[in-house]
Amino acid sequence: MTFTTLRSLFATALLSSLIPALAWAGSFTVSPVRLELSPQRPVSSLTITNDSAEPVSIDARGMSWSQQNGADEHEETRELIVTPPVFMLAPGASQIVRIGLRRAPDANNEIAYRVFMTENPVVPRSVANGVAMNLRLSVPIFVRPRAAPQPKLEWTGSRTPEGHLKLRADNRGNMHVQVANLSLSAAGTVVGRQTSPAYLLPGQYREWTVKPEEGRAFDASSLTVTGYSDAGDVNAEFAVR
């Protein structure tokens, strides 16, 4: 199984757990759930389908994606081509949106973008409880570097005065890593969990405050973190401060 295939399977499996919420929340779906571009494949596409019984207008916009101090940041960019940027979908209809690069891939590090798609209903909807919600979805776009992909996570942890654990993951590699379903164990016993998925872009970090499982405590001098990532299974031991 190739590195790219592993990432695609992980993304598909993760999305399957989110599909019920997406179907309940809005009226269109997007496939695939993310794209990877490269020097050999600078153009790809998304398929947007209107699953509702009403026509809908969609705005598609590309944004650069970075992270600072563990938080996502998005900015307008002309480096990503998104066409068509605005389109109308009849009930049950689909539209192919082309995604391409205006710039060359970076020599050493992966570049990240997101394409945001915002629903604009053509026919005004009946409002329940005074609130009308329009769906907005985003798809990650990753541009592979010319250098070989080298994802690498480093884990650290420290106890808080409340008895929780401040868990931190640093991405020391040149590719993003998406993690999910993390468990923290001491001597083979699970003492804490962090299940929410998260992306770590190259050179960036994420922090989580993890509560101990009922009847457990973070009193061991070291812990083992296990879980899933699109770069392979997570299994690492780290010291607790």
Side-chain angles (χ1 to χ4, degrees), residues 75-154:
E75 294 184 358
E76 297 276 357
T77 181
R78 293 184 55 82
E79 295 179 356
L80 203 64
I81 301 171
V82 180
T83 182
V86 180
F87 51 92
M88 186 83 68
L89 284 177
S94 296
Q95 171 71 50
I96 293 177
V97 176
R98 306 290 181 185
I99 310 296
L101 283 175
R102 294 182 186 270
R103 59 158 293 172
D106 189 82
N108 300 311
N109 292 312
E110 179 185 69
I111 308 170
Y113 304 91
R114 278 188 179 271
V115 173
F116 288 87
M117 281 152 289
T118 305
E119 166 194 33
N120 297 303
V122 177
V123 179
R125 296 174 177 165
S126 57
V127 177
N129 298 323
V131 179
M133 301 291 290
N134 292 340
L135 180 62
R136 190 187 197 209
L137 299 180
S138 72
V139 175
I141 312 292
F142 297 108
V143 183
R144 295 171 69 90
R146 298 185 184 278
Q150 296 178 331
K152 181 182 179 182
L153 290 182
E154 292 183 359

Side-chain angles (χ1 to χ4, degrees), residues 190-201:
V190 175
V191 293
R193 302 178 192 271
Q194 165 54 44
T195 59
S196 300
Y199 279 104
L200 290 88
L201 299 183

Side-chain angles (χ1 to χ4, degrees), residues 3 7 10 34 67 110 142 150-153 155 170-180 198-202 206 228-232 234:
F3 180 76
R7 284 179 175 268
F10 178 85
R34 70 181 179 190
Q67 292 176 337
E110 179 185 69
F142 297 108
Q150 296 178 331
K152 181 182 179 182
L153 290 182
W155 299 87
D170 285 84
N171 184 358
R172 304 297 188 187
N174 65 349
M175 301 282 290
H176 80 274
V177 179
Q178 186 183 24
V179 297
Y199 279 104
L200 290 88
L201 299 183
R206 288 281 187 177
Y228 304 102
S229 86
D230 56 357
V234 175

